[in-house]
Amino acid sequence: LIQEFGGLYGLLSATPAALKEKLGLGPAKTAQLIAVLELARRTLREEMAQGVSLSSVDNVRRYLQLSLANQPYEVFHALWLDARNRLIASEELFRGTLTQTSVYPREVVRRALHHNAAAVIFAHNHPSGIADPSGADEHLTSLLQEALNLVDVRVLDHFIVAGLTAPYSFSERGKLA
C-alpha cells in the first residue's frame, strides 16, 4: 500500500474512498489508517500548544501539510498565537472551490480579536499541487497584514501548501513587510 500510494505520506493522505478500493482494506482497516492520520495531526497540534514546536518551522510545515495538503478544495487556515508565540487556536477560516476561496479581512480581524491574538500564521492550500503564490495570494497577504497591523496583530508567515512539495513560506522568501 505504501508503494502504491507513493509513500507513507501518500497513504496517510489518501481519501477513505481510495483506501476502500484497495484489495484487503475493509472498513476497519480504513478507519484505522484515518485514525492514525488524525492522531498525527493532534500530536503536532499539542506540541504547538505547548509552545515547543513554533520555534521549529519544520513542525509547523508538517502540521499544515497534514491538515491541508489533500483537501479537494481551497481552504484558508489561521494559527492564532499569544504574545510568546504559543498556539491559542488553529482554525479553518474560509473554504472555497477547487481553484479559489474568498477571504474577508474584516472577518479575519474579528477572529483575531475574538482569540485575543498577538500574532498569526496563515496558510492555504493549492489543490493544483503548485505551491507558487499567485498575484492574488500576494495581494491578500499584504492586505491582511495591513488590516491586522491596525489592531496590533503581527503576521508571522503565510504558507501555501500544495501536495507533497514543501510548503511555500512568504516569510522565508522575504515577502512579508
Side-chain angles (χ1 to χ4, degrees):
L1 282 172
I2 290 172
Q3 185 176 6
E4 195 164 326
F5 281 98
L8 187 57
Y9 181 80
L11 173 61
L12 291 176
S13 61
T15 64
L19 292 170
K20 287 178 185 176
E21 289 177 7
K22 300 302 172 193
L23 183 63
L25 280 187
K29 284 291 180 208
T30 300
Q32 284 177 329
L33 287 172
I34 292 168
V36 166
L37 177 60
E38 184 58 27
L39 285 172
R41 282 187 193 122
R42 289 181 186 195
T43 299
L44 287 169
R45 189 178 301 134
E46 282 182 19
E47 285 180 13
M48 288 190 295
Q50 294 170 4
V52 174
S53 66
L54 284 181
S55 61
S56 168
V57 174
D58 289 335
N59 283 350
V60 175
R61 280 184 209 275
R62 280 197 305 269
Y63 171 72
L64 292 171
Q65 269 192 302
L66 283 171
S67 300
L68 304 178
N70 206 36
Q71 298 286 347
Y73 41 79
E74 277 202 20
V75 294
F76 191 84
H77 202 85
L79 300 174
W80 301 109
L81 311 172
D82 68 11
R84 292 177 43 201
N85 290 344
R86 292 176 303 190
L87 185 68
I88 297 169
S90 171
E91 69 179 340
E92 179 181 303
L93 296 176
F94 305 99
R95 182 178 292 189
T97 65
L98 177 64
T99 57
Q100 68 180 12
T101 188
S102 296
V103 176
Y104 302 97
R106 173 188 168 114
E107 291 302 310
V108 173
V109 170
R110 188 176 69 78
R111 296 305 297 162
L113 295 173
H114 168 81
H115 290 295
N116 198 27
V120 64
I121 296 172
F122 291 122
H124 77 279
N125 66 322
H126 282 176
S128 67
I130 299 169
D132 295 332
S134 66
D137 292 335
E138 292 176 355
H139 178 70
L140 173 64
T141 303
S142 177
L143 190 64
L144 290 174
Q145 197 170 17
E146 288 175 23
L148 289 166
N149 277 341
L150 294 173
V151 292
D152 294 323
V153 176
R154 293 172 293 123
V155 176
L156 299 182
D157 210 337
H158 182 171
F159 288 97
I160 299 175
V161 177
L164 298 176
T165 62
Y168 180 96
S169 164
F170 278 69
S171 178
E172 288 178 349
R173 303 289 174 96
K175 295 202 176 213
L176 289 178

